[in-house]
Amino acid sequence: MNATLTSPPATALSVATKPEWLRLPAPGARCRFTGLSRSTLNELTIAGPANDGVPPVKSVVLRKRNALRGIRLISYDSLMQYLAELA
């Protein structure tokens, strides 16, 4: 009796588990968890006139020293909490 354990496919794992951070979707694409566009996520996470200078969703930018560009990561919990408050 030789029983082997198989792991579920990677796509099933990613849907079943909740991420801690979300990366902004590519331009023209939408967030796979919320369906929000890149522009909308930027408005929620970057201080500006759209949110009176106080972004309602937490995010961080990872960038190398002296780099002008980086990767914006959005807190999944913060985003979901904000969306729940709108309901």
Side-chain angles (χ1 to χ4, degrees), residues 3-66:
T4 59
L5 297 175
T6 59
S7 61
T11 54
L13 256 181
S14 62
V15 173
T17 59
K18 177 184 84 155
E20 189 167 345
W21 298 97
L22 300 175
R23 188 170 177 170
L24 282 173
R30 296 197 170 260
C31 174
R32 66 185 181 129
F33 294 98
T34 63
L36 296 174
S37 69
R38 180 182 178 97
S39 300
T40 301
L41 290 170
N42 271 326
E43 288 179 357
L44 294 174
T45 58
I46 299 172
N51 53 35
D52 297 325
V54 182
V57 177
K58 294 178 186 175
S59 70
V60 296
V61 178
L62 297 178
R63 72 178 133 214
K64 295 181 181 179
R65 186 174 299 205
N66 299 324

